[in-house]
Structure formats: structure tokens, C-alpha cells
Amino acid sequence: MASEEELFASVDALLEEEPRLPSPAERARLREAAGITQARLATALKSTTQTVKNWENGRSEPKPPRLAAYIRLLDGWAAKYPANSAPAASSARGPDDAPQPQVPETFAGPAEPDTTGPAPVPEAAAPAQAPTAGVPAAKRPATRPATSSRRPAAKTAAPAVLDPRFPHGPLAVLDGDGSAYGVNGIVLDCPATSIPQLVEWTLRESGLGAPKLHRYGKDSDPLIVLTAAAATKFGLPERLEDRRGLRLAEEHPVVLQITAAKWQLTQRGFGPWARIYRKAQGRDRQCVQLAILPWDALDSRSWPGVTETEMEPADIARVLGVYAARVITPRGSTAVSGLELMSALRPPTRPVRDEETGNWVSGHNSGSLGTEPVAPAPPEARPEHPVVVSSGWTGGFVDEEAYQWVRDVNLLTGEEAALPHAVGLDLNTAFLASTARLTVGLSEPEHFVRPQFYPKVPGSWLVDLSHVRLDPRLPSPFTPTGEHPTGPAWYQTHTVAYAQELGHNVEILEAYLRRETGAYLDPWHDRLKAAYVDTLADLGVTKDLTDAEFLAAMEVHKQTDPAMAAVLAAIKGTVKGGIGKLFEGPQGKGYRDGEEWPAMKRPTWAPWIRNAVISKTRVNMHRKLLNMAKLTGMYPLSVLSDCVVYPSPSAGPLDFLPYAESGKPIPGAFRLGATPGLAKLEGAQSMTWAVDLMEKGYNPARHIKGGDAVLDEGE
């Protein structure tokens, strides 16, 4: 029989053993009984939701110091909720725990009337309790040694509110040492040594991604941005040899690694923006977006200063993270992102119930452009488009473009020429402002002969406006050159309606109209407007400033915070590029007229929508020019897109813009301000400088900034 000392020794040995966890199923039961979601538990234990899932399905076990804390929590729950007790109400379950209905993978919710519009999206505005450790990485301050030559961020941006399903935000910038810099200062340790491993880590362990922007849309794929060191680590070349195709050769080792691991590349291959995917499993997408910094993934025109020589990886992550929170997770150039934002906010399909089978099926989402491209009417197409070439169309084309006009120098008065300055005003994102409440066609065009004109029906109209004569000191509102029309021509609805507004008769010869219409770009406008205004506010330019304060703030706003200035430039590029993509033409020397090209096969290839935006913008500009002439007696020297140059008694606009006696701006003319459609100072030069350019046939608006700068048309 054992002695007392032997028994005590055995008991002491048991006490010294590592405490044991309950079974994985019991861990899940206890958490659910307490009404705690996996995401909330992950936050409490400074871990990630995926790690908690692994603990509860037996794929992994917690390690110290989390092990002791986890056991203590489970012991406390076990005392409160023994195995025979009833679980907490199911309403306490979070999105990660709730059972998902079996619906087609394109669906994001039940079929019900779309009365809510786009789903609310977390903005980079308020602090959040984001997990402070990754799998397998721990969160730590995103800093570099003081000896680094790259410029640090000027200030810390407001932390983004993160979706619990994506605790580490939408993206990360991966450096060569395996540090993946995310939003809110998060840094994850990425153990991947190959691109396939990187994709697996991103999808399984990184906690990266972003929620959908519309109830019927899809969550954004995670974005990994590779620095030059990271690209080299994964076997990528320093630069792309194929400068035309901008992609790796199919026989490149990295491409072969991807295909060997059963992953796929999209048709654009492995280029500066590579998308790697497998077929979705149910509702779970398996797709990762890569951006390669040394391959110029971030164009300097849209992302000024966002380079490895000027910014730390953490600062680049901050810039891209703010853009992702306010606009969309980048999916390519800002133009591509602008186009994809349209579809993300107006998904082409929605779930509808089949009356015969009762099953959920994919149906058209009203107000969207659908899933199939719509052929343009012949006058709305390009001359090389198949619909033009095959039909032998010779009836002319819609020519709705932005202004490029210079006043005849002989029409300058002596008083104007004697003024000392020429001042340029630029309208903030003028084309974005025109998309607000803009009704556009969404279905196939129908041809009509001599129809009545309806100013609220979007379409293309053949009409003779050559009889409409206006003051020659103003550009004609009907042509991009500002010259008067010489005969019948095709116009978009806003242009013809403006002729009526000016008191002139319009007699329609032909028209192409669409029965299904809608304000397709409204949510696009609202999101980008908010992004623009919020980012300007971050730079010290707010809506409550006086005009003098506004001008002073705009002089220095780009120096206030270079990171936010880069975000602002990217937002402008998104507007310009997104609208331009609606009418993207063929590329490549091998193209032949009449052949299809990739862009025209997109449902979002809609030149008639671009026509509507530009027509409304040009008409709005002319309306302001006309009102300025009526209110002040002043006429412009030139107009280029959304920039206008006036002769001025001073080097600023305050001395010639119209104000009421109260000091408030008079509506209808140009007004200064921080919102889309209002004006800012573009630049000032001497009047003799402007006249000299006009005499040589140049446009002063193109160079008014000085330094022979060229206006970024289409902002």
C-alpha cells in the first residue's frame, strides 16, 4: 500500500501539470452559452477571429500566454453554464457564428424590395477596438529606425472602423522582412516565401478584406501591396520587360508556381495589378489582389508621392487604407477603381424567388446596367465600333466633349487689356458634381424619326442649332471648341434642353432613346463627394471657412499632410478615370476597325452615360459664364474643361466674383468653396502674359498655374 508521502507526491505532480482545455466542441458550447461571438472573444484575447475558429474546430491549440487566460475564461463559463443548462438566446450570435442560408454565390441577401440603397460602410472616422495581434503576427507600432531616409507620416489618421470578419482591414503593404503593414498601425508577420503561400496566408490567416458596399454586392478581395524587397523575395523581376503587355511571360517561374498550386490568373495575367483566384466555394470567394510597387502599380499622377523612396510601407498602407475606407479597396488604376465602384454600388443582379420552384435565382437588379453589355446607338459609338462598321453608318456622331476654347483676341476691350492680372478659376470635381441626380439610359436604344423633344428623357438627338447665336465673347454651349454649329448634329439631352432654356426652338430630326432610365451614378456621386469633402477637411479645408480663409487654406493644403494630399489626388483620378472608362477605346497596334475590343464587352461600357455627364458639365459651365456676364459685365479669356480664366484687377478672384451687400456670394455665378461644383483658385499670371498666349493660339487656362503646368482635364 502506498505511503502518505507517495500519494502527496503524485498529487503534487498532477497539480504541476499543464492545465487542460475542454474539447473543441465544449469550447464552442461555452462561448455560445455566454452569448459571445468569436470576433468579440478574439478581441478580448488579443487574437483574431480565424484563430478562435481554429481553437473551436480542433485545428490548433492556444499557446501561452493566451492559454492560461483562455482556460480561466472557459472555467468561469463552465461554472455559469454547466452542460445541461440552456444556451443564451440565438440573437446574441454574431455574423461569424450565424448559419448561412444556401443561396446562389452571387447573392448577398434575401429577395426583398431594394428600398435602402447602398449598405452603410465603415468610414475612417472613429476609433475601434481592433485586435492587437495577428495570426501568426502580433500587432506592434508601425515604425522604422530613425536612420531611414523615407519620409514618415505627418500625423496619425483617424483609425478605421473594421468589420469583425476582417479585423486587420482591407489591405497590407508587405516588405521584404515579412512585415505586412496594415491600417491603424497593425503589422502582421507573413511567413510566406512564395506567391502561392502568400495567397493562402492572405485568405486563411491574415484577417484582411472589406465588406460589400451594397446589400446585393460582394465583399472586397484582400489587397497585398508588394514593396521592391518583397517582390524580389518572391522571385519577381525588378521591372517588367514586357512594357506593352505589362505582364510576366506564361513560362516565368512565378506564373508556373501559381498554376502548379491550382490557382488561376485573370486574363490580364501577372502584371502590376495581379488577381489570383480559385472558383468560389459557395458564398466564399477565393481571390487575392496583388499590387507590385516597383512595377509602377501606383501611377504618380494619381498617387503623387506614394513611392518607396518617399514613404515608408506603413505610410503607404495609411494612404491606401484611407482610400479603401472612403472609396473602395484599390483594384487597379484609379480609373479601374472608379469603374468598379460603379458596379459595387449598383450590383447587376439581385436574388429573386422562382415562382415555379420556390428557389432563389439570379435576377436583374433594377437601376443597374445588368450583366450583359448593351450596344450603343450608331451616333453614340466610335467610328471603329462594329455597329458602325457593319451598318455603314455615315450619319455623324455625338460630340459631347469638354471645352477647349479661347476668345478671339480682337474681341478684347481696352478696359480688359488694361487690367493687370489674368486669374484662373477651377471647379472642384466638376464632372462629379454633374453626376448628382443625373438620369441616364439603361436599356437598348430605340430609333425615332421626328419625335417631340422631351427635356427630361435621356437620349441622343439630331437637331440643327446653327440658328442659335450668342455673344461671341462667350463660347457656344453646343460645341467643345466653343464655335457655333454649322448645321444638324447629334447632341445629348442636356445640350438640347439648354437651347430651349435660352429661348430657342428645337426641331428634332431623329433620336435614339431608351425606355429604361435611372439615376445610375447617384450612389457613386454621393460616396465620392463625401470622400472628397472629408479628405479636404483632413487637409484643413472645411466648408465653414470664409472665402478669404478658403483661399488661404487651399494655398497650403498639399503641404499639410502629404499622405492625405495623395488620397485627394487619387479621388480626383477616380472621378476622371471612371467616367473616361465608360467610353474606353481599343488598344494595340494590331487592332482593325470593326473588330470587338475588350472594353466594349463590359456591361459598364456606356458612352451615352459619359455623353450625359460631359454635356451637363459643359452646360453648367456656360450657365455660370452667362450669369457672370449678366451680374458683373465680365467675360472669360479662355475655358479649358472645368477651368476658366478672367481678366482681373488683382491676383485673386475676390475682386471680380459677385457678392451681395451682405457679403454672401450671389447664386448662379462662380462661387468659392470646398464641395464639388464650387470653385477654387487655379492660378494667376499677368494680363500681358495671357494676351501673348492668346495671340499665339494657345489657351491660357492650360498654363495658368505657371511653370508651363498643364491642367488635369476632367477632374
Side-chain angles (χ1 to χ4, degrees):
M1 185 174 179
S3 66
E4 183 176 325
E5 290 78 6
E6 291 174 332
L7 292 174
F8 279 6
S10 298
V11 170
D12 288 342
L14 290 175
L15 291 173
E16 291 174 0
E17 282 188 7
E18 187 78 20
R20 298 190 62 181
L21 283 165
S23 67
E26 178 64 5
R27 301 169 202 173
R29 185 195 72 79
L30 290 172
R31 177 185 53 75
E32 292 179 355
I36 302 298
T37 66
Q38 291 174 329
R40 187 175 174 189
L41 175 56
T43 301
L45 293 178
K46 304 296 186 282
S47 185
T48 66
T49 305
Q50 184 59 50
T51 299
V52 173
K53 289 181 178 180
N54 292 343
W55 294 345
E56 293 185 357
N57 61 29
R59 290 181 59 189
S60 66
E61 295 292 326
K63 295 178 176 59
R66 292 189 182 90
L67 175 61
Y70 191 35
I71 289 175
R72 182 177 182 182
L73 179 63
L74 293 175
D75 287 346
W77 283 342
K80 283 186 177 182
Y81 312 106
N84 58 353
S85 65
S90 60
S91 61
R93 295 164 64 95
D96 296 291
D97 309 305
Q100 299 296 323
Q102 295 299 313
V103 295
E105 64 181 62
T106 56
F107 296 162
E112 52 186 286
D114 184 9
T115 58
T116 60
V121 183
E123 293 288 344
Q129 292 185 342
T132 56
V135 181
K139 178 181 175 182
R140 56 186 183 274
T143 58
R144 286 276 179 174
T147 57
S148 173
S149 62
R150 291 181 283 189
R151 181 176 61 217
K155 62 181 180 180
T156 302
V161 178
L162 303 179
D163 187 294
R165 295 173 300 148
F166 310 112
H168 295 148
L171 55 88
V173 179
L174 182 62
D175 214 347
D177 62 359
S179 297
Y181 297 84
V183 300
N184 294 355
I186 290 173
V187 184
L188 307 174
D189 289 326
C190 175
T193 58
S194 68
I195 293 296
Q197 289 179 11
L198 175 61
V199 173
E200 293 282 357
W201 174 83
T202 303
L203 292 175
R204 310 287 179 247
E205 301 181 48
S206 70
L208 296 173
K212 58 195 176 188
L213 301 184
H214 188 282
R215 63 190 302 188
Y216 299 139
K218 299 176 182 177
D219 294 334
S220 288
D221 300 322
L223 168 64
I224 300 293
V225 181
L226 300 184
T227 64
T232 301
K233 175 183 176 180
F234 292 124
L236 298 174
E238 292 184 7
R239 66 186 302 274
L240 282 177
E241 297 300 330
D242 180 6
R243 303 308 296 169
R244 179 174 295 276
L246 288 178
R247 65 180 66 192
L248 289 180
E250 293 183 2
E251 62 273 14
H252 190 279
V254 170
V255 176
L256 297 178
Q257 285 177 358
I258 292 170
T259 54
K262 307 301 183 184
W263 290 99
Q264 294 178 268
L265 291 164
T266 57
Q267 290 185 351
R268 60 182 173 182
F270 199 112
W273 289 89
R275 192 170 294 182
I276 304 174
Y277 71 98
R278 283 179 184 153
K279 186 177 179 180
Q281 296 180 348
R283 298 181 67 189
D284 295 330
R285 289 173 58 83
Q286 299 186 90
C287 184
V288 173
Q289 180 82 59
L290 300 182
I292 319 299
L293 289 181
W295 295 357
D296 300 324
L298 300 181
D299 187 285
S300 60
R301 292 168 297 180
S302 297
W303 301 97
V306 188
T307 66
E308 291 188 73
T309 57
E310 297 183 73
M311 285 189 180
E312 293 284 348
D315 301 330
I316 295 175
R318 176 188 174 221
V319 171
L320 297 177
V322 172
Y323 179 88
R326 294 180 178 176
V327 183
I328 193 172
T329 303
R331 303 181 184 183
S333 66
T334 50
V336 170
S337 296
L339 195 67
E340 297 228 5
L341 180 62
M342 295 179 192
S343 297
L345 295 170
R346 291 281 196 191
T349 61
R350 57 169 293 180
V352 295
R353 190 181 292 277
D354 188 303
E355 296 297 334
E356 296 183 0
T357 64
N359 296 328
W360 293 107
V361 296
S362 181
H364 175 62
N365 184 26
S366 179
S368 77
L369 285 173
T371 58
E372 297 296 327
V374 174
E380 298 167 343
R382 290 177 170 273
E384 63 268 29
H385 194 283
V387 75
V388 174
V389 175
S390 63
S391 64
W393 174 262
T394 58
F397 299 94
V398 177
D399 187 22
E400 298 288 9
E401 297 294 341
Y403 269 133
Q404 295 194 47
W405 171 83
V406 180
R407 198 207 307 184
D408 185 342
V409 72
N410 295 318
L411 296 178
L412 288 176
T413 65
E415 291 181 354
E416 289 176 320
L419 290 172
H421 299 282
V423 174
L425 291 176
D426 178 65
L427 299 183
N428 301 320
T429 56
F431 294 150
L432 176 63
S434 296
T435 62
R437 299 179 298 279
L438 176 68
T439 303
V440 298
L442 300 174
S443 57
E444 297 278 351
E446 296 183 32
H447 184 232
F448 296 87
V449 177
R450 293 194 175 277
Q452 182 179 345
F453 177 66
Y454 297 96
K456 293 187 178 181
V457 175
S460 302
W461 312 80
L462 181 62
V463 58
D464 189 350
L465 298 178
S466 60
H467 63 286
V468 181
R469 292 286 171 175
L470 301 174
D471 193 311
R473 291 172 294 178
L474 292 176
S476 167
F478 310 127
T479 64
T481 62
E483 299 176 357
H484 290 293
T486 57
W490 289 94
Y491 302 98
Q492 200 275 338
T493 298
H494 287 87
T495 304
V496 183
Y498 189 55
Q500 270 195 343
E501 181 182 323
L502 294 174
H504 298 277
N505 180 51
V506 293
E507 184 176 346
I508 306 300
L509 303 176
E510 295 181 57
Y512 283 92
L513 311 176
R514 289 170 168 81
R515 296 187 182 276
E516 184 182 348
T517 63
Y520 173 70
L521 292 174
D522 242 14
W524 192 77
H525 163 271
D526 294 347
R527 187 165 178 83
L528 286 170
K529 176 184 177 180
Y532 181 82
V533 171
D534 290 347
T535 307
L536 263 184
D538 287 341
L539 293 167
V541 186
T542 56
K543 292 186 287 185
D544 58 347
L545 299 177
T546 65
D547 283 0
E549 292 170 338
F550 168 75
L551 291 173
M554 287 299 294
E555 278 191 35
V556 299
H557 77 284
K558 291 183 180 180
Q559 289 74 48
T560 301
D561 184 347
M564 290 301 100
V567 174
L568 187 69
I571 293 169
K572 294 177 182 179
T574 304
V575 173
K576 172 189 173 184
I579 294 173
K581 281 283 187 181
L582 294 171
F583 196 33
E584 185 177 2
Q587 300 177 7
K589 292 183 177 179
Y591 177 77
R592 297 290 182 270
D593 288 356
E595 295 177 349
E596 293 185 336
W597 63 89
M600 63 165 283
K601 298 179 183 179
R602 295 190 308 248
T604 48
W605 195 81
W608 59 93
I609 295 181
R610 178 182 178 273
N611 290 341
V613 174
I614 296 179
S615 170
K616 184 178 177 182
T617 303
R618 199 180 63 247
V619 164
N620 286 345
M621 173 65 83
H622 191 276
R623 190 180 286 114
K624 293 179 186 296
L625 297 173
L626 189 59
N627 287 336
M628 278 286 291
K630 293 176 180 177
L631 292 169
T632 68
M634 298 188 67
Y635 292 84
L637 301 177
S638 69
V639 184
L640 179 66
S641 188
D642 45 16
C643 179
V644 56
V645 176
Y646 276 101
S648 172
S650 67
L654 296 179
D655 288 334
F656 67 83
L657 290 178
Y659 291 89
E661 292 183 2
S662 64
K664 293 184 177 180
I666 297 179
F670 293 103
R671 296 174 54 192
L672 299 175
T675 56
L678 298 187
K680 62 179 180 289
L681 177 64
E682 180 71 10
Q685 301 290 338
S686 69
M687 187 63 180
T688 55
W689 170 91
V691 173
D692 183 56
L693 285 183
M694 294 168 70
E695 289 177 338
K696 294 177 180 178
Y698 297 120
N699 191 325
R702 187 178 294 277
H703 310 280
I704 194 68
K705 280 185 179 180
D708 205 33
V710 177
L711 180 71
D712 183 15
E713 298 178 38
E715 186 184 294

